[in-house]
Structure formats: C-alpha cells, structure tokens
Amino acid sequence: MSAETAQNARGSGGASLFSDQRFRSLFFQALVIGLLGAFLVFIVYNTAHNIEKRGIQTGFAFLDAAAGYDIAISPFMEYTATHTHGRVFLVGLFNTLLVSFLGIIAATFLGVFLGVLRLSPNWLVSRIVYCYVEFTRNVPLLLQILLWYAIFLALPSVKQSITMFNDIIILNKRGLVLPEPLPGDGFMLVPIALVVAIVASIFFARWAKKTQAATGKIYPVFMTNTAMIIGLPLLAFAVTGFPLDFAYAELKGFNFKGGVVIKPEFTALWFALSLYTAAFISETVRAGIQSVSHGQTEASEALGLRPSWTMRLIILPQALRVIIPPMTSQYLNLTKNSSLAVAIGYPDIVQSFGGVTLNQTGQAIEVIFITMLVYLTISLLISAFMNWYNNRVSLVER
Amino acid sequence: MSNASTNTSKKTDEVAIQLNGVHKWYGQFHVLKDINLNVQRGERIVICGPSGSGKSTLIRCINRLEEHQQGDIIVDNIELTGNLKNIDAIRREVGMCFQHFNLFPHLSVLENCTLAPIWVRKMPKKEAEEIAMHYLERVKIPDQASKFPGQLSGGQQQRVAIARSLCMNPRIMLFDEPTSALDPEMIAEVLDTMIELAETGMTMLCVTHEMGFARKVADRVIFMDGGEIIEQNEPEEFFNNPQSERTQKFLSQILAH
Ligand SMILES: Nc1ncnc2c1ncn2[C@@H]1O[C@H](COP(=O)(O)OP(=O)(O)OP(=O)(O)O)[C@@H](O)[C@H]1O
Ligand SMILES: [Mg+2]
C-alpha cells in the first residue's frame, strides 16, 4: 500500500496506465494465467467428453482388482499374480526407489573418487579418468544399459555356473546367488548397538567441538567415531555369540534353490546408471575443487595449517557450494533415468505399473497421473534435502 | 645498536633468516641464481626489481610455498629441508601477506583471524577471539569483525590479512606486493599499518615498488633482476647513488611515474 502511495507521490499522475511498470507486469501476469486457465478447462472438458463418448472406465477402482501377472523382482514384499494392481504399484515404487537409492550412493562415491583422480598430477591416471568420463558421458545411457544386460546374459548357464569360495557365491546368467543371512536369537542387539554408536558419535562430535572452544584441545573426532560405529556393533555381535547363520543355495533340478538372488536386470540397470552418472558427478567435483583458487591453499598453508586441515576447513567448504547444486540435478537425472528399466524388463514403476498394468486396465490417464506424481514427489524430496544441505554448508556470505 | 642511518631502526645482531647459495629452477628455467642473504632480527628489507625477476619466488621460498633445489635456507635457526616438522615450525614463526589478500571468503573476518590460532596453536576459542580483536583494533577495523571479506574494501581486506597473520604472533613477516592490487587512496592506509608494524621491531621482508615506504622504513633495499641480487644498500645510498646500470635504469623507470 505504501508502495502505491509512493508511486502516486512520484507523480506518474494520470499518464498512460500502460506505461506504468507495475501495472504492466500485473497485466501480463494476469493475461498468462487467464490463457493457461482457459486451456486447462478446454483440455479437461474435451477429455471428459471423449471418455464418456467411448465408454472408457474411469476412477481408481482398478487398484483393488487382481493384477493377474507375475513380477520377477520384489525384494521388499510378497507378490504373486493374485495380488492387486495397488500392490503392483507398491512393488514398482520400491524397485524404483531401490535402484535409484543404490545408484545415487554408488555414483556419488565413484564420482567423487574419479573427480579427485582427474586432478591427479599423475599424467596417466588423469588421462585414464578423462577417457572414461568422455566415453561414458557421450554414449547414450540406453545403450549402456543394454550393453551391461548383454554382458550379464552372456554369463555361463546354470549348469556351468561360476562358483566362488566353496560354492558359497554362485554366478550365472540368471544372476548372482549369495547365501541368505538367518539372524538368530540376540541378533537384534547388533542393530541396536549401531544406533547407540551413531547417537554416541553425534554427542562426541558436539562435546569435542565444545571442548576445543573452551580448552583448545583437538580430538580425533572422525577416527574415534568411525571406530565406534564399526566397533560397537561388532562387539555386540561377538558378545551375543555370533548369532548369525547362513542358508546356502543348492542346485535343485534346473535352478538354484535358497540363498539370495540378485537378478541381472537389476545389476545391469544399477551398473549403467551409477557409471553413467558418476562420469557427470566427477566433472562437477573437479570443477568444484578447481573453482577454489590456489591462493586459498597458499594462505592456509602459510598460516601453518596442515594439508588435511586446509582441505577440510578451507577447500571443501568452498568447493561444496559449487558442487551441490549441479549434484542435485545429477541425482534427479539418475532417478528419472531409472525409468529406462523398461528396456531390459527390470520391474520399476514404469515397467510394471505404468506398463503392464496400464495395458491391462486401459486406464491410461489414472496410471500416468499416479506415475508422474511418484516421480514428482521423489524429485521434490531429493531437491528439498539437497537444498537443506546446501543451506547448511553455504550459510552466509556477502 | 644499529649503525643504519635511519634512527628508528630496531635491527639487532641476531640472525633471523639466512640464505646461502640458493638456486631454484622451474623446469629448465633458472629463477633464482646463487642467492646469498642474511637478515638480522628486527631488520626491514624492501625487495624491488622488474617483473619476472624472481622477487615473489625468493620470499615464497622462505616459508616453503616454493621449494628451492640447491643451497641452504635457515629461518630462526631452523633449517628448511623436506622435513615436515621443520616446515611446520617455520610457518608458525613466519607470517605472509599476499598481493590478492587471499582471505577465506566463507569465514567472517573474526573467524579468518582465529582459524590458525585455534587449529595450529590449539588455543581456546575465547582467547583466540580476544587476540584477534586486539589485532583488528591495531589495524583499525574492529567494527568489521563480524562481516565477511566480500563486504570489505580492498584496503580493509589487506589490513584483515595483516591482522590474520599477526594473530599467529609471528617473528618474521613477508609481504608480496601488498599494495599493488589497491586503488591509490587505499594504498596509504595499508602502508600506514605496515609502518606501524615496522615500528614494533618486526622483522620484515617486503616486495614492493612503493619507494616512499622504502625510504621511510627500510634498513636495506635489495634490487633483483634475472633471478640475481644485483645490488643492495641503505635506502639513501640506494636511491641517490645506485651503482649498477640496471638499477639506474629500473629506478629511472619507476620514479618517472
Ligand atoms: N609455477 C611456475 N612455473 C614456471 N615458471 C614460473 C612459475 N612461477 C613463476 N615462474 C616464472 O618465474 C619467474 C619469476 O617469477 P616471480 O613471480 O618470482 O617474479 P616477480 O619478480 O615476483 O614478478 P612480478 O613483479 O611480476 O610479481 C617469472 O619469469 C615467472 O614466469
Ligand atoms: Mg611477484
């Protein structure tokens, strides 16, 4: 309101309203919103009209109907053909989350590692990474997924499986078979110990920071916490008398029974997504580290800070700000790229729910709508997390 | 004590820095050629010379930002070798200011100053902050303590950089063209800070082309060209009666401005 009076006071007076900057911008915004609204109304009306005319079923009742088809990979919940399309949705969703989550983790570690190697003063190392990055970035992801899938399918058949460690690990064209862990009595203590160790680490880190501020003494926080997080669960495991058995897979008839099977569809997709995204992440990391001028390192070292402290206190905090925003978009890309699963039949949400269920029920609008909503939600969650993290590391400047 | 013509000199007989036959190469390029230099404690030395003559390289060798390949460098009785302990010890005693300040942009002015005392000297935060405020007052910007480097003028930034070095309580200060990235009106404020510092008896090695500063505070002016020390003398003698032809040429160019 005060802005308005100020505007009048400035005395644009009764002159053409259209040359007023504020009015003009309001006018165009209103125009755009109006056109958009009209377009939406038209689409909705038109679709509803056509659906009615052709007698297509609408609504979400199909979610409760039996799906009637099998899904090969459902690690988190039981699934058979008699389960509903709603269950298919959940299975697909979890498969998408699984491959995206593991992909993001693998791509991050590999990407950071490669990014640092790329800056290595060793000519050969840096060249090798350069070639890797250029090759991976410039070949379409779909081809890479198909390539990995072909490689895994070219493994020996079940009868000629490659076995390792006395038949404990078995590899063939149907997948990688690992022993299934069977936790016994008292095993619960191990995850509890892990949680305790993590909580204790947080407290120790805070305490160490306070103590340093008060007395100047510096504790090896990272080493202590790592030891605690690894050591405490191991200790609990030993104290309870190693309550863990394994069920080993055995060849019965034409296939292995028992054990945990990791399917080639999953591995191929996971490898391809991780390796492809890692190439982009490594470039991001390299650019981030290079964006911090060498003068920062020199100033820090001239003050007597060790290289490891210089990295931690000076270089990384500045590099992270440059790295995180593009890193976010790499995570989003990986998640969305996981929908290429459809090419090799990994049952992610697009292949199962958005593919087979859609074809069987014919309710394209609902299915696509739900699937889009899923990606939108995942993406927004990743963005929100990364923005939160970015705000934490960037704090204030200028 | 001193026999220098400047009566403010705090020069003593104790040796602070000793360079014996120092050579350095960048690949094939011979940057420093047989440098011999003794700096007394409390002595103020100004190094000048044309661009590319190796001035920066010389003072950067003293705190091991550059490695020399031949000869000895002894700082504060500690010999500079590949030994990391010695390098750490020397860097704790030697402060340095850069042409482009090199403040840490993600830390506040106060944090810039307390970082090294906290991590290198293992000082409690409060004590480090008190010391930082003391030196920020000495460079006359205590009111900027909570700001970030990007919010300060160039002159203020360079004064923060000086305060940051002083917080480590160094016995020797190195300056590499501390005023050459500054506008004329800011040069004076930084030079004033440096003059005050000189009056406290700090051992100073300063690469600069500010000849007024050299006349006022230097005990000795060193002229370098092509990686060699061509001539060194007390300021009056150096400016009024340069011996070598190259020095004469350089001085005429620089004073012509
Ligand atoms: N890292 C390096 N690699 C190769 N050559 C270098 C490197 N650093 C400096 N030089 C060369 O060494 C010579 C001396 O450099 P130095 O920076 O010491 O000169 P300077 O006297 O400080 O010059 P200026 O007045 O321009 O700062 C220059 O010719 C420069 O090109
Ligand atoms: Mg220089």
Side-chain angles (χ1 to χ4, degrees):
Chain A
M1 321 149 287
S2 60
E4 241 162 39
T5 38
Q7 192 101 33
N8 289 341
R10 230 174 286 136
S12 57
S16 165
L17 196 56
F18 206 68
S19 62
D20 181 305
Q21 202 181 18
R22 258 161 52 89
F23 174 78
R24 231 173 138 113
S25 105
L26 271 178
F27 174 79
F28 281 114
Q29 287 180 42
L31 192 70
V32 168
I33 291 175
L35 285 176
L36 211 65
F39 181 66
L40 268 180
V41 167
F42 168 74
I43 293 251
V44 170
Y45 171 79
N46 194 42
T47 314
H49 179 74
N50 283 332
I51 283 176
E52 203 180 283
K53 212 166 73 181
R54 291 183 198 164
I56 297 175
Q57 217 185 357
T58 54
F60 294 93
F62 72 98
L63 287 174
D64 289 327
Y69 66 95
D70 276 322
I71 296 180
I73 301 173
S74 175
F76 296 107
M77 61 188 77
E78 200 199 331
Y79 177 84
T80 59
T82 53
H83 278 104
T84 61
H85 285 299
R87 187 77 159 203
V88 169
F89 168 76
L90 285 179
V91 170
L93 172 63
F94 277 106
N95 282 342
T96 291
L97 289 177
L98 177 72
V99 80
S100 305
F101 180 73
L102 293 180
I104 283 175
I105 291 190
T108 306
F109 277 103
L110 187 64
V112 170
F113 182 65
L114 290 176
V116 173
L117 280 192
R118 178 85 165 77
L119 293 173
S120 156
N122 184 320
W123 185 86
L124 189 67
V125 169
S126 128
R127 275 286 113 170
I128 290 175
V129 175
Y130 170 77
C131 292
Y132 168 82
V133 168
E134 287 311 318
F135 177 80
T136 327
R137 284 207 300 185
N138 293 313
V139 173
L141 175 57
L142 183 59
L143 287 182
Q144 297 188 36
I145 293 175
L146 293 174
L147 173 72
W148 282 109
Y149 193 47
I151 290 175
F152 289 128
L153 289 188
L155 286 170
S157 65
V158 175
K159 287 274 179 229
Q160 276 115 36
S161 292
I162 305 167
T163 61
M164 284 163 273
F165 310 111
N166 277 336
D167 294 358
I168 289 180
I169 294 172
I170 301 148
L171 186 65
N172 58 44
K173 65 195 315 179
R174 294 210 188 160
L176 179 68
V177 189
L178 300 172
E180 184 183 3
L182 299 173
D185 284 345
F187 187 78
M188 265 313 285
L189 212 59
V190 176
I192 291 174
L194 181 67
V195 173
V196 170
I198 291 173
V199 173
S201 301
I202 295 171
F203 276 102
F204 178 67
R206 282 197 190 157
W207 176 85
K209 200 172 169 191
K210 259 193 216 145
T211 315
Q212 187 189 353
T215 68
K217 188 157 168 32
I218 299 170
Y219 292 91
V221 175
F222 181 76
M223 295 295 276
T224 316
N225 285 352
T226 311
M228 201 145 61
I229 288 173
I230 295 174
L232 221 55
L234 275 182
L235 190 71
F237 191 47
V239 165
T240 50
F242 305 102
L244 188 64
D245 276 324
F246 289 98
Y248 301 101
E250 277 169 49
L251 190 59
K252 290 211 177 102
F254 292 112
N255 211 347
F256 283 93
K257 286 267 151 32
V260 180
V261 185
I262 298 169
K263 291 267 165 59
E265 290 81 16
F266 168 80
T267 321
L269 183 63
W270 181 51
F271 269 38
L273 283 175
S274 308
L275 294 173
Y276 178 75
T277 314
F280 289 91
I281 289 181
S282 80
E283 282 296 277
T284 301
V285 168
R286 177 180 69 89
I289 292 177
Q290 278 181 334
S291 75
V292 183
S293 84
H294 190 55
Q296 294 285 307
T297 312
E298 290 188 339
S300 173
E301 290 186 349
L303 284 168
L305 275 97
R306 298 260 170 74
S308 59
W309 285 341
T310 299
M311 194 49 154
R312 200 177 107 201
L313 300 168
I314 306 299
I315 310 296
L316 270 187
Q318 294 182 57
L320 275 182
R321 298 177 187 184
V322 181
I323 292 173
I324 287 176
M327 195 86 129
T328 310
S329 39
Q330 289 313 324
Y331 289 173
L332 297 179
N333 282 346
L334 187 146
T335 309
K336 288 177 288 183
N337 286 341
S338 75
S339 61
L340 289 172
V342 73
I344 55 170
Y346 172 75
D348 79 323
I349 189 142
V350 172
Q351 197 270 345
S352 57
F353 187 71
V356 187
T357 292
L358 187 150
N359 282 334
Q360 286 191 1
T361 62
Q363 291 191 273
I365 292 182
E366 291 86 346
V367 168
I368 297 288
F369 179 72
I370 293 177
T371 311
M372 274 169 35
L373 213 60
V374 163
Y375 281 104
L376 193 65
T377 312
I378 299 176
S379 296
L380 287 178
L381 284 176
I382 293 176
S383 296
F385 173 78
M386 295 301 276
N387 283 340
W388 167 82
Y389 188 69
N390 197 27
N391 284 338
R392 256 191 62 141
V393 294
S394 63
L395 285 171
V396 261
E397 190 201 357
R398 273 163 256 259
Chain B
M1 278 241 65
S2 92
N3 52 3
S5 60
T6 39
N7 21 12
T8 54
S9 176
K10 301 280 197 304
K11 193 171 137 186
T12 67
D13 291 335
E14 210 181 317
V15 181
I17 304 172
Q18 213 180 331
L19 284 86
N20 298 327
V22 171
H23 289 262
K24 175 168 178 62
W25 289 264
Y26 282 122
Q28 295 292 307
F29 181 59
H30 202 166
V31 211
L32 295 181
K33 299 171 187 159
D34 192 30
I35 302 286
N36 292 289
L37 178 66
N38 273 343
V39 182
Q40 309 302 120
R41 185 162 300 294
E43 195 175 8
R44 282 96 57 146
I45 290 183
V46 163
I47 303 171
C48 59
S51 180
S53 56
K55 311 176 296 287
S56 300
T57 309
L58 174 65
I59 69 164
R60 289 156 59 86
C61 278
I62 293 172
N63 65 352
R64 245 311 150 118
L65 288 182
E66 302 287 351
E67 200 174 324
H68 63 286
Q69 278 110 21
Q70 200 181 312
D72 308 318
I73 299 181
I74 298 159
V75 183
D76 228 12
N77 295 322
I78 308 167
E79 181 162 6
L80 197 51
T81 58
N83 186 329
L84 291 174
K85 275 231 169 70
N86 287 2
I87 296 176
D88 277 349
I90 287 174
R91 283 180 178 168
R92 258 177 264 144
E93 300 309 321
V94 179
M96 180 156 188
C97 287
F98 301 86
Q99 182 175 5
H100 297 288
F101 332 131
N102 296 355
L103 292 176
F104 307 130
H106 62 301
L107 300 178
S108 72
V109 164
L110 189 66
E111 287 165 338
N112 263 277
C113 293
T114 58
L115 185 85
I118 286 177
W119 289 94
V120 181
R121 295 244 189 256
K122 316 240 183 300
M123 202 182 271
K125 193 169 165 199
K126 221 165 134 226
E127 197 184 327
E129 283 177 351
E130 277 162 16
I131 291 176
M133 285 314 292
H134 168 77
Y135 284 111
L136 286 175
E137 263 157 42
R138 246 180 65 184
V139 302
K140 304 197 177 60
I141 34 176
D143 45 329
Q144 313 284 355
S146 59
K147 286 199 183 162
F148 283 82
Q151 297 169 317
L152 304 183
S153 75
Q156 289 172 326
Q157 289 193 43
Q158 193 59 292
R159 284 185 286 152
V160 172
I162 294 173
R164 177 175 72 176
S165 295
L166 293 180
C167 284
M168 283 296 283
N169 201 12
R171 305 179 67 168
I172 299 164
M173 283 289 291
L174 309 173
F175 293 87
D176 191 0
E177 308 203 28
T179 55
S180 57
L182 296 175
D183 294 338
E185 68 266 30
M186 293 172 189
I187 291 178
E189 62 184 55
V190 171
L191 288 181
D192 284 345
T193 309
M194 290 170 64
I195 291 169
E196 274 177 39
L197 186 62
E199 281 162 4
T200 65
M202 176 73 73
T203 311
M204 290 166 69
L205 258 85
C206 192
V207 176
T208 182
H209 292 154
E210 294 297 329
M211 292 307 150
F213 173 80
R215 274 180 199 272
K216 205 161 180 177
V217 302
D219 293 309
R220 195 168 11 145
V221 180
I222 292 176
F223 174 72
M224 281 185 78
D225 194 9
E228 289 172 298
I229 294 181
I230 304 293
E231 187 170 345
Q232 47 181 316
N233 218 329
E234 289 161 14
E236 285 309 310
E237 277 295 301
F238 181 84
F239 289 115
N240 298 339
N241 193 10
Q243 301 298 309
S244 101
E245 207 177 302
R246 280 196 266 181
T247 318
Q248 287 161 9
K249 193 164 154 244
F250 174 75
L251 283 178
S252 70
Q253 276 169 351
I254 233 180
L255 298 174
H257 287 250

